[in-house]
Amino acid sequence: MCVDLQNNGTALQALCCAGILNDPAQCAICPNTDLAGIGVRVAFYMQSIVNALLIAFSPSDSVPTAWAGTLLTLALVIAGFVSKQQQNLTLHHATLVLNFVTLSTISSLAVAPMLPIWRLSPAEYYERHRRRHALLYTDVDDSRYLQSPFVFEGSLYANTQKQRVKAAQRRQREVLSIVLLLQVVLQWAWGLFLFVDPRYSQPELSDSTILVLFMIPFDTGSMNDADTHTAGFLIWAAWILFCLAVTMWLVANLAAAGSAHSQSLLSSVNSGTGMTSGTPIGRQWESLIRETLLLKITMKQAKIGLKAFVFVALWVVFVVASEWQRSLNCIFPAEENFGGLGQVKTS
C-alpha cells in the first residue's frame, strides 16, 4: 500500500497535502524538505562528524564549528516554527526536528571542553601561544640582548603580549559560551514547544505514525490510549525530557571542564607514552588502544574515555532513530531529492 502511494500517488499527494483528502487509507505523510530533506539530514550528520575530525586533527581551528552548529540549529528551529504556523508540521517531522537539534547540540557541547581556549588555563594558553609564535627576541645577538635596555624592552613586550593573549582567550571563551548557550536555548525552546502544543497537521495519520523512541518503535495510536496498562503515553514525554536532560548534563560537564582545565584524552595518554602533538593520529590511537588493553590508563583517562564512548553512543542513537523512523513511516516522495530550496540553503 505504501509503495503504491509513493510510486503512483502524485495526484493523491496533491489532494492530501492540500487538505482536500483526509482518508488515512489513501494518504501518506506529506514531505517537508525544509525539516527532513536529505540535504538537511546530511548537513546535521556531517556537521557533527566534522566537529570530531577538527578536534582530532586541528583543535585551534575548531571554534567556528560551534557557530556552524548554532546556525544549523537556528535555521531548523525557525523552519519548524514556520511550519507549525502554516499548519503543515506533522508529528513525525516534529520528532525528527527534536532529534536533529539535540544531535547538533550534543556535538557542539561534547567537543567544546577539548578546545584549547576552554581546557587550558590562561597561563597554559599563553605559553602555548608563545611557543607557536616565538614572541621573544630569538634572533637578536646574545651580547646585545643581555644589555639592560634590551632585557627591559623584551620583558615589557612579553608582559604586554601576555595580557593581550589572556584577554583574547577570555573574549573567545565568552563568545563560545554565548554561542553554545544559544544552541541549548533553541533546543529547549523546541522541546518545551512540543510539550505545550500537541496539535499537528494531518491528524488523521497521527494514530498510525510510528515514532522511534529509546531505539524502540512505538505506534502513536497505542501510545495515546489512556486505558493501556503499559503507560505508553508517557514514553513521548520521557523522550523529550531525556533529550533536554542530556544537554543539561553536557552543559554541567562543560562548566566542570572549564573550571578544572581538563585535558583531552590523547594529550593525557601522550604525556605517559612520549607522544607529541606532531605524532601521526593513527599512532596516537594505536598507543591509546595498547595502553587500554594493558590496563595502564589512569582513572582520569578512564573517565574521559567513558565520556567519549557515551558521546559516540548518543550520536549513533539519534542518527539511527531518525533514519529508522523515516523508514517505518509511509511518506510521500520528495525528501530524498536535493532539488528543494530549503535543502540547498541548509546544506
Side-chain angles (χ1 to χ4, degrees):
M1 176 64 181
C2 183
V3 175
D4 294 337
L5 288 175
Q6 291 176 335
N7 294 335
N8 306 308
T10 304
L12 286 176
Q13 178 175 346
L15 293 174
C16 293
C17 297
I20 300 175
L21 182 62
N22 299 318
D23 185 1
Q26 295 181 315
C27 289
I29 297 176
C30 293
N32 194 325
T33 56
D34 289 332
L35 300 182
I38 188 172
V40 175
R41 305 199 313 272
V42 170
F44 275 92
Y45 301 158
M46 291 304 299
Q47 182 261 334
S48 57
I49 294 175
V50 169
N51 268 6
L53 292 177
L54 278 176
I55 286 295
F57 291 97
S58 183
S60 301
D61 301 322
S62 302
V63 177
T65 60
W67 282 105
T70 301
L71 291 176
L72 276 175
T73 303
L74 178 62
L76 189 64
V77 171
I78 291 177
F81 281 120
V82 170
S83 294
K84 181 67 174 180
Q85 181 66 27
Q86 296 175 348
Q87 299 182 354
N88 59 10
L89 177 68
T90 64
L91 175 61
H92 164 72
H93 290 107
T95 307
L96 290 184
V97 170
L98 178 63
N99 290 354
F100 294 153
V101 298
T102 303
L103 174 66
S104 180
T105 305
I106 288 175
S107 174
S108 298
L109 291 174
V111 302
M114 306 178 193
L115 296 175
I117 64 170
W118 196 271
R119 65 181 174 84
L120 298 180
S121 66
E124 293 170 334
Y125 188 79
Y126 167 73
E127 181 62 23
R128 183 176 181 273
H129 181 86
R130 188 190 66 81
R131 290 198 305 266
R132 290 184 61 187
H133 297 279
L135 297 177
L136 297 180
Y137 294 95
T138 55
D139 57 346
V140 177
D141 181 72
D142 291 342
S143 61
R144 293 180 59 205
Y145 182 76
L146 292 176
Q147 299 176 18
S148 57
F150 286 94
V151 174
F152 174 77
E153 292 175 5
S155 300
L156 179 62
Y157 176 78
N159 290 332
T160 302
Q161 189 68 10
K162 181 182 297 186
Q163 296 303 318
R164 291 178 179 174
V165 172
K166 291 182 178 180
Q169 182 194 18
R170 183 172 60 253
R171 288 193 301 270
Q172 292 182 58
R173 291 188 63 165
E174 291 172 353
V175 171
L176 180 62
S177 300
I178 294 174
V179 171
L180 295 176
L181 179 61
L182 176 59
Q183 196 168 6
V184 172
V185 169
L186 290 170
Q187 188 241 7
W188 269 68
W190 186 257
L192 295 177
F193 164 73
L194 297 185
F195 263 125
V196 301
D197 195 349
R199 295 169 298 177
Y200 303 99
S201 67
Q202 295 187 281
E204 68 277 2
L205 296 177
S206 292
D207 284 347
S208 60
T209 299
I210 299 177
L211 303 179
V212 177
L213 311 175
F214 301 103
M215 297 301 292
I216 301 174
F218 290 92
D219 180 78
T220 310
S222 60
M223 291 173 62
N224 289 332
D225 186 3
D227 296 331
T228 181
H229 297 290
T230 60
F233 57 93
L234 295 178
I235 298 295
W236 169 244
W239 177 252
I240 298 176
L241 291 175
F242 170 75
C243 294
L244 302 183
V246 166
T247 56
M248 283 297 97
W249 171 66
L250 289 173
V251 168
N253 176 71
L254 179 64
S259 60
H261 310 300
S262 62
Q263 299 296 320
S264 65
L265 178 61
L266 286 180
S267 61
S268 298
V269 175
N270 291 346
S271 62
T273 61
M275 295 286 181
T276 65
S277 58
T279 304
I281 193 71
R283 288 192 57 197
Q284 294 186 35
W285 281 109
E286 178 186 352
S287 174
L288 169 60
I289 296 173
R290 183 172 60 253
E291 294 295 323
T292 303
L293 294 177
L294 294 177
L295 300 178
K296 292 183 179 180
I297 59 174
T298 65
M299 182 61 67
K300 178 181 178 181
Q301 295 166 0
K303 290 181 178 179
I304 298 175
L306 178 61
K307 288 181 180 179
F309 174 79
V310 171
F311 296 152
V312 174
L314 288 172
W315 187 89
V316 172
V317 165
F318 281 98
V319 172
V320 172
S322 300
E323 294 301 316
W324 190 11
Q325 178 175 308
R326 290 193 70 262
S327 67
L328 292 176
N329 286 288
C330 185
I331 307 171
F332 279 125
E335 292 186 354
E336 296 303 314
N337 301 325
F338 278 99
L341 178 60
Q343 297 182 48
V344 174
K345 290 191 298 183
T346 306
S347 298

